[in-house]
Amino acid sequence: MNVWLNAALAGPAVLVTVAIAEGSVPREAGAHMLVTADAQADTIGGGHLELCALEVARAMLRDAAASGSATAAPAPQLQRYALGPTLGQCCGGVVYLTFELVDAGLAQTLAVLRQDQRSDYWRLSALDGAATSMLLDADGHLLNGVGDVRTLLPAFEYARSTQVLRDEAGRRWLADAVLAPRAHLLLFGAGHVGAAIVRLLGELPCTVSWIDEREDMFPAELPANVRIEASDVPEALVASAPAGASYLVLTHSHALDQRLSEAIVARADVGWFGLIGSQTKRVQFERRMAARGLPAERIAAMVCPIGLPGIRSKLPAVIATSVCAQLLMVWEAQYATLADSR
């Protein structure tokens, strides 16, 4: 998740952003890539487009080094790439990329974003004239930088994605949406399968609450999008979870699995619920939940066994890969439904 933001690259850098994406293109508006003289973090889609972007970014770094002065540093750029006619790529769409040297102002903005990756932000950067960087929260309040955003960008629409706008004087600005992932997973169980799933989810667009009462089971290092909850009453975390969250139960105890399953099925606003186990385990749990009067339609929505059909291996890494693919399919469908409702 946000590889470009969490990368620890040494030396001066250029931030490359997909500002506008038209037609069939490798990545969506808001995709980023951080480039240094000898490394890169994340991708704007690979291929010839990325190769050209790397060349532009590294030329900016050379110019900045040659100038030897912050006031003479290269100005931000906005460049248009027609993928078919210009680059010979089969996609055929058009991509506009911005190139920004990471100066002190932008570095401060990125530091704020790095500290809180569970909230929505808007990053504003001037594309004409002197480099100017500002950071807004989800409500449009200025957090970093200087300027009156309402006067500066009267047409700014906070519900839209990354875009290029013009202010009243005709100056172009990149309004870059840096949004928290909409998918949230409560993962119960810190065993081999749980650990394998967390390793994969660390690079996916989601946030994870990883829950187990055995605190010594958690690794010392975690992905940036994962939080540990060492709790003796994990059912309480089900009750306090946000509406629409996903749940994955794979603890070391069938009795605990049963209690958690009942707590999850009792909620009417569950986004998705998966329980590790066999078809026999599912039947047993269904009978017990039905005997407790839990709604039949919610019991039926429980996914058990978990993972994609046709993948039979019991290796933790294989189970994790299958379950993560299943979660991505669920979340993609949820995003599509949300987008259609707007």
Side-chain angles (χ1 to χ4, degrees):
M1 184 185 76
N2 287 342
V3 174
W4 63 278
L5 186 57
N6 296 308
L9 300 183
V14 168
L15 179 60
V16 184
T17 304
V18 178
I20 303 172
E22 300 174 344
S24 177
V25 296
R27 291 291 306 274
E28 68 286 350
H32 301 86
M33 178 173 68
L34 198 64
V35 181
T36 64
D38 55 6
Q40 73 177 83
D42 226 319
T43 176
I44 56 167
H48 196 183
L49 173 66
E50 187 160 294
L51 178 62
C52 290
L54 290 170
E55 291 174 350
V56 171
R58 287 177 175 146
M60 288 182 68
L61 291 171
R62 290 192 296 270
D63 291 345
S67 71
S69 169
T71 58
Q77 298 182 33
L78 175 66
Q79 295 201 15
R80 178 182 184 273
Y81 296 87
L83 300 183
T86 305
L87 302 182
Q89 293 190 207
C90 297
C91 300
V94 176
V95 174
Y96 291 76
L97 300 179
T98 60
F99 299 83
E100 303 170 75
L101 189 69
V102 181
D103 59 9
L106 181 52
Q108 186 178 6
T109 290
L110 297 181
V112 175
L113 293 172
R114 197 174 295 117
Q115 290 171 2
D116 178 15
Q117 299 183 46
R118 296 194 174 220
S119 301
D120 292 344
Y121 293 97
W122 286 91
R123 189 177 65 86
L124 301 181
S125 290
L127 299 177
D128 299 314
T132 303
S133 179
M134 291 183 286
L135 184 66
L136 285 64
D137 66 14
D139 297 319
H141 301 129
L142 186 65
L143 303 176
N144 184 41
V146 179
D148 186 340
V149 176
R150 291 171 298 177
T151 301
L152 182 66
L153 299 173
F156 189 46
E157 300 176 21
Y158 295 98
R160 292 183 58 192
S161 62
T162 295
Q163 58 202 279
V164 173
L165 300 174
R166 291 183 183 271
D167 62 20
E168 294 174 333
R171 191 182 187 190
R172 295 174 303 171
W173 291 79
L174 172 68
D176 184 23
V178 184
L179 306 178
R182 274 23 188 181
H184 180 67
L185 175 70
L186 282 80
L187 192 160
F188 296 89
H192 296 298
V193 175
I197 290 173
V198 164
R199 287 194 292 270
L200 291 178
L201 291 176
E203 296 190 12
L204 299 181
C206 64
T207 56
V208 182
S209 294
W210 193 10
I211 304 152
D212 200 301
E213 72 272 22
R214 302 166 298 170
E215 191 167 3
D216 60 335
M217 293 290 292
F218 295 110
E221 295 185 5
L222 292 170
N225 61 339
V226 177
R227 288 183 181 174
I228 285 175
E229 297 277 1
S231 173
D232 292 329
V233 283
E235 299 95 324
L237 298 174
V238 174
S240 62
S246 300
Y247 301 81
L248 189 54
V249 174
L250 30 83
T251 80
H252 61 290
S253 164
H254 275 218
L256 179 56
D257 284 356
Q258 180 76 50
R259 297 200 308 271
L260 288 168
S261 298
E262 291 175 4
I264 295 166
V265 171
R267 290 194 58 157
D269 56 359
V270 170
W272 182 85
F273 166 36
L275 170 68
I276 197 168
S278 63
Q279 185 64 32
T280 301
K281 181 177 179 179
R282 179 191 181 98
V283 171
Q284 291 175 347
F285 275 42
E286 284 179 333
R287 288 173 179 169
R288 293 168 186 167
M289 287 190 284
R292 287 167 173 77
L294 293 169
E297 67 276 8
R298 294 185 208 161
I299 297 173
M302 177 181 69
V303 177
C304 180
I306 53 174
L308 298 180
I311 299 178
R312 300 177 182 274
S313 173
K314 301 298 179 65
L315 284 171
V318 175
I319 296 173
T321 302
S322 180
V323 171
C324 287
Q326 186 176 34
L327 284 167
L328 285 174
M329 293 173 66
V330 169
W331 291 336
E332 288 276 351
Q334 291 173 348
Y335 298 156
T337 300
L338 180 61
D340 291 342
S341 65
R342 291 177 177 174

